[in-house]
Amino acid sequence: MNWDADRIPDQSGRTVVVTGANSGLGFEASRALAAADAHVVLACRSTDRGRDAASRVREETPDASLELLELDLADLASIRSFAERFERRHDDLDVLVNNAGIMAIPRRETEDGFEMQFGVNHLGHFALTGLLLDSVLAADDPRVVTVSSGVHTRGKMRFGDLHGEVEYDEWGAYAQSKLANLLFAYELQRRFEASDADALSVAAHPGYAATNLQGRAPEMQGSRLRGLLMNLANRLFAQSAEQGVLPTLYAATAPDVVGGAYYGPDGFMEMRGGPERVESSERSHDQDAARRLWEYSENATGVTYSLPVPTRA
Ligand SMILES: NC(=O)c1ccc[n+]([C@@H]2O[C@H](COP(=O)([O-])OP(=O)(O)OC[C@H]3O[C@@H](n4cnc5c(N)ncnc54)[C@H](OP(=O)(O)O)[C@@H]3O)[C@@H](O)[C@H]2O)c1
């Protein structure tokens, strides 16, 4: 589809939270939404990197309405504190962009003992969305956009070993976390519908975009070779972050977006191109798995949603 950030409808009066706003796709989303006059809350784990991102946004949009709030998705206490600070300052939240992520890293744990990729990419966003739910439901036509990946197709929910304690595979853990993003996004839409809420839960993926994502694992492994290869692949095959963020921006703002839909690039193998509605794997539509993951996530994070459980379709 021939759609770019210039076609974002006027966002004045709307408040948007973008997780991972200081880098890659989160930065590009923040930049474009600020340029469309949204009030953008930059949710970043480092306030220094967040401040730097804010000044980069202001280079293009000097009067951008920005707010920096610290958020570490690898720490439930930080997520709770973020939600409390947000609620003190705002009556409602129009758009939540669950974007932050890490990919294929060596096994690490969050503050709460969750495997890092499952913990940050899924459980952290699950807790954040649940804690911000009242603010979301207080807005007019609110949206929750959750960023997944084409890699979700390789994901399996290993309910017996969600945290890779028995067996850990760095790509398997990433794929599982990105499948969990979709199971969550679709289940949230079903729960919005079951409560007659005027809210949309939508998923998106960027294809392959050159960002800092690909460099993290080589950095943690101290592998210069893997780092160089990732860099080379980015140069040869990736699209820009500015292009890669378009499905997220479309999902967050386009008037014809459908709740429970998934948006990605329309080009070769969904790796690049303009945003369009795309399909996700059969496993991502497994409603039993979605419900099981939901219950697990509520127990693990201690965050419960005040939304009715949908009847099975
Ligand atoms: N780039 C691609 O080709 C691609 C493809 C498919 C899906 N995605 C998805 O796109 C999303 C954005 O990734 P990106 O490509 O823009 O990567 P990126 O440039 O590495 O940005 C990731 C962002 O997430 C933040 N983050 C990491 N751990 C965090 C934590 N514990 N708490 C809060 N924030 C944290 C990072 O903060 P720091 O800067 O402080 O580390 C950074 O701001 C991810 O969900 C990723 O899975 C990307």
Side-chain angles (χ1 to χ4, degrees):
M1 187 193 309
N2 190 6
W3 190 93
D4 63 23
D6 291 340
R7 298 198 32 203
I8 295 176
D10 177 25
Q11 298 292 302
S12 45
R14 288 179 74 77
T15 300
V16 181
V17 167
V18 181
T19 67
N22 60 288
S23 174
L25 304 167
F27 172 74
E28 291 299 335
S30 304
R31 194 167 70 87
L33 291 164
D37 282 341
H39 174 71
V40 182
V41 179
L42 308 166
C44 302
R45 67 173 160 166
S46 151
T47 43
D48 282 350
R49 288 194 286 276
R51 264 192 289 275
D52 176 63
S55 60
R56 283 183 286 137
V57 170
R58 288 207 171 95
E59 279 168 21
E60 183 185 301
T61 310
D63 58 350
S65 178
L66 303 175
E67 184 180 345
L68 173 61
L69 279 184
E70 195 177 330
L71 169 71
D72 184 354
L73 289 159
D75 181 357
L76 287 172
S78 167
I79 299 170
R80 284 190 184 280
S81 152
F82 175 92
E84 280 161 20
R85 280 173 290 146
F86 180 88
E87 276 181 346
R88 272 203 299 275
R89 294 173 184 205
H90 299 277
D91 295 332
D92 56 24
L93 172 56
D94 297 280
V95 183
L96 170 60
V97 184
N98 286 326
N99 160 81
I102 38 170
M103 180 176 80
I105 58 164
R107 193 175 187 287
R108 296 284 189 279
E109 290 189 352
T110 67
E111 284 296 318
D112 306 281
F114 307 144
E115 183 280 312
M116 188 66 78
Q117 299 190 72
F118 188 58
V120 169
N121 299 357
H122 168 64
L123 288 172
H125 284 122
F126 179 91
L128 179 69
T129 308
L131 291 167
L132 292 174
L133 192 67
D134 287 347
S135 300
V136 169
L137 294 177
D140 288 334
D141 301 322
R143 295 186 188 186
V144 176
V145 178
T146 301
V147 179
S148 180
S149 162
V151 175
H152 86 272
T153 50
R154 287 155 50 186
K156 286 192 185 112
M157 297 311 302
R158 298 171 68 227
F159 282 107
D161 186 25
L162 283 170
H163 298 277
E165 285 157 312
V166 179
E167 196 186 329
Y168 182 74
D169 165 60
E170 53 197 35
W171 278 105
Y174 180 66
Q176 173 180 256
S177 75
K178 292 286 127 181
L179 174 59
N181 286 150
L182 286 177
L183 289 166
F184 164 67
Y186 298 158
E187 180 70 11
L188 181 60
Q189 176 63 27
R190 287 190 287 273
R191 292 187 186 220
F192 281 156
E193 284 168 13
S195 69
D196 280 332
D198 208 8
L200 299 182
S201 169
V202 192
H205 83 92
Y208 179 11
T211 64
N212 288 324
L213 188 74
Q214 298 84 8
R216 297 271 188 244
E219 203 178 281
M220 288 170 81
Q221 290 166 326
S223 170
R224 240 175 82 80
L225 181 64
R226 188 174 162 193
L228 287 171
L229 288 175
M230 284 285 202
N231 215 335
L232 184 66
N234 273 4
R235 282 173 191 221
L236 291 176
F237 306 117
Q239 58 180 348
S240 65
E242 197 176 348
Q243 180 77 23
V245 78
L246 293 180
T248 301
L249 289 172
Y250 190 87
T253 65
D256 59 352
V257 160
V258 179
Y262 181 41
Y263 295 87
D266 61 3
F268 178 65
M269 292 180 73
E270 294 177 24
M271 299 282 266
R272 54 175 62 243
E276 70 168 6
R277 191 169 174 177
V278 295
E279 295 300 322
S280 60
S281 68
E282 211 177 307
R283 276 197 283 263
S284 71
H285 293 290
D286 180 340
Q287 294 190 27
D288 292 329
R291 189 175 294 187
R292 192 170 172 193
L293 176 66
W294 193 281
E295 281 165 13
Y296 177 86
S297 305
E298 285 194 334
N299 286 330
T301 61
V303 175
T304 48
Y305 282 59
S306 53
L307 290 173
V309 179
T311 46
R312 183 86 159 75

